[in-house]
Every structure is written in C-alpha cells, then in structure tokens.
Amino acid sequence: MAQAAQPPSDQPPVVTCRDVTRQYIRGSKSKFANQPRPTVTALDSVSVDICPGEFVGIAGPSGSGKSTLLHLLAGLDTPTDGDVTLAGTSTIGLSEQRRARLRLEHVGIVFQHFYLLPSISARANVALPLVEYGIGRSTRREKATALLDQVGLEDRTTHKPGELSGGEQQRVAIARALVTDPEVLIADEPTGELDTETGEQIINALSASSSDRAVVVASHDERVLERTDRVIRLHDGRLVSDG
Ligand code: ADP
C-alpha cells in the first residue's frame, strides 16, 4: 500500500514531492495531425519527503521510475502534475534559468557515467561549479583540494580523468558535487559501472557525506541499499514502500 514518507527528524524536509505524476509522450509526431501520441506514466501520484542528514535509497526494477523521481528531486525536471519543493521553493512554473540557479545553490548531482571534463585536472573539474559562483581562483583551488582530500584522492589532484580509474573518477565526481556544500546530494546508479571493492569506496564516500546533508541514491545495488537509512521502493511508477 503506497504511503507518504514520515520526516524522521524535527528539521523541515529539504525536498518534498506532493502527489507527483510525470508523463512522457512516446514516439515522434504522427503525420496524421489528429492522431493522439501515446503517453507513458513514469511516476503516478508519488509523495515523499527528504530530510537533512538522511541517506535515502530509491529502488525498483528497470523502468519503475527511479531516474524520473531522482530528476524531479534534483530540479532537473518538473512534474506533469503535483508539486516538488526544493529548499522551500516550488519548482513549478520556474523558468529553466531559475531552476538551474536553484540546483546550483542547493543540489549536488552524481551520474553513473561521471561526466568529467577530460582535458582538465581532477582539481579543476572539482572547482568548476565554483566558477558560476564567481569565487576567486585561489579559494577554488583550496576548496577543491580539500574535497579531493576528503574522498581520499589527495595524491591525484593534478591527474586528468583519463589517468584515473573508474572508482577514482567517480570520487572526483562526488567531490565536484559536494564543492558547493549542497543541502542535498543526488546520485543515479553511482556504483553501476564499478567492481565490488571500488563500489564499496563510493558507498563509504556517499555515506560519510550524509552527516551534513541529505543524500539520495537510485540503485539496483543491494550493497548500496542496505547502507541507507531508508529505501523508497517503486514499481510501475508507484510508490510501493518507504521505510
Ligand atoms: P528507471 O530509472 O527505474 O529505469 P525511468 O524513470 O528511467 O525508470 O523510466 C520510467 C518509465 O518512463 C519507463 O517506461 C521509461 O521507458 C519511460 N521514460 C523515461 N524517460 C522517458 C522519456 N524521456 N521519454 C519517454 N519515456 C520515458
């Protein structure tokens, strides 16, 4: 039976989803103008709260809506129906530019495929989001170095992504996501491409970062899910359990 999450702490949630539905239109436009295009309901009336300090897993079979929910929680997308509030601001009706600003100020995002810039060093990759903030070069370097230290890459700061292993690249991506000190860190299948031991390092880095913020991880990986405080389970776009 679907149920909304109970906030585990006294602090107000950093992200809330209220009765969120997300539909996508499938396929390209028909040449017959009146023919309706099929829609797919990726999420169906899902309500969740994410509170500061929580380490939350999102689980479910492929196609159950995990990435869709994660993108909505991160403010990368907006729902077809319902409301998503990020750090007290509703994402509904915001311009793309204001939503990008909201993300920059409150959210760090880690993707399965890292998305690091190949031509610059690990440290420069980590420092990149601070350029948008207008922070000076020496402070950027200082913060990026401290973050790389935190994820155990103090001896890799000047290496380029191509000179690093998959697990090291993912830790650079986590450091980059944390450099703006976001209230919520969102990670989509962060161990998907990594071997068991390397995956463990990534889980440790994510778990450690949840002491200061909410961390939400979509994953198929039971090793990740068993480390989280709470697991939101989806099936066919519906919330089937949360706890
Ligand atoms: P999961 O992350 O659990 O694999 P997704 O959120 O990616 O699930 O997808 C949920 C459903 O929405 C699937 O049926 C998927 O095919 C569909 N879907 C996701 N993104 C799109 C899109 N951009 N256009 C059309 N359908 C989509």
Side-chain angles (χ1 to χ4, degrees), residues 24-26 40 42 60-69:
Y24 296 109
I25 295 171
R26 272 238 162 99
V40 50
S62 191
S64 59
K66 299 185 296 301
S67 295
T68 300
L69 178 57

Side-chain angles (χ1 to χ4, degrees), residues 73-230:
L73 294 173
L76 286 165
D77 188 18
T78 52
T80 313
D81 214 349
D83 194 7
V84 178
T85 303
L86 190 47
T89 303
S90 169
T91 60
I92 308 301
L94 288 187
S95 66
E96 183 59 50
Q97 205 180 5
R98 286 210 47 212
R99 211 150 30 86
R101 190 73 209 173
L102 198 63
R103 282 197 301 274
L104 179 69
E105 286 172 358
H106 303 287
V107 186
I109 306 176
V110 176
F111 297 99
Q112 181 176 356
H113 303 295
F114 326 135
Y115 296 125
L116 300 174
L117 291 184
S119 58
I120 60 175
S121 70
R123 184 171 55 208
N125 266 284
V126 174
L128 213 49
L130 298 176
V131 174
E132 284 281 309
Y133 268 101
I135 289 173
R137 191 159 181 266
S138 65
T139 310
R140 292 202 306 263
R141 279 175 75 115
E142 225 171 84
K143 281 194 168 231
T145 305
L147 257 308
L148 284 168
D149 205 6
Q150 194 176 309
V151 296
L153 293 176
E154 55 282 354
D155 55 351
R156 295 284 190 277
T157 55
T158 57
H159 289 59
K160 290 184 179 162
E163 298 162 344
L164 300 172
S165 70
E168 288 171 337
Q169 289 186 57
Q170 190 58 299
R171 280 186 281 157
V172 174
I174 292 172
R176 180 185 55 188
L178 292 174
V179 78
T180 54
D181 198 16
E183 281 123 291
V184 56
L185 179 69
I186 302 272
D188 198 357
E189 299 282 359
T191 61
E193 302 223 317
L194 306 174
D195 61 62
T196 307
E197 198 182 316
T198 314
E200 192 75 26
Q201 292 169 358
I202 299 306
I203 304 165
N204 290 341
L206 291 172
S207 174
S209 72
S210 72
S211 59
D212 302 330
R213 62 183 51 79
V215 176
V216 187
V217 184
S219 186
H220 279 102
D221 189 339
E222 282 302 323
R223 291 166 311 158
V224 174
L225 299 172
E226 67 193 23
R227 292 281 298 275
T228 58
D229 302 324
R230 172 181 149 211

Side-chain angles (χ1 to χ4, degrees), residues 1-3 44 46-48 232-234 237-242:
M1 182 66 199
Q3 56 196 25
D44 190 356
V46 169
S47 295
V48 290
I232 294 166
R233 290 192 187 270
L234 300 173
R238 288 177 172 270
L239 192 154
V240 288
S241 67
D242 183 353

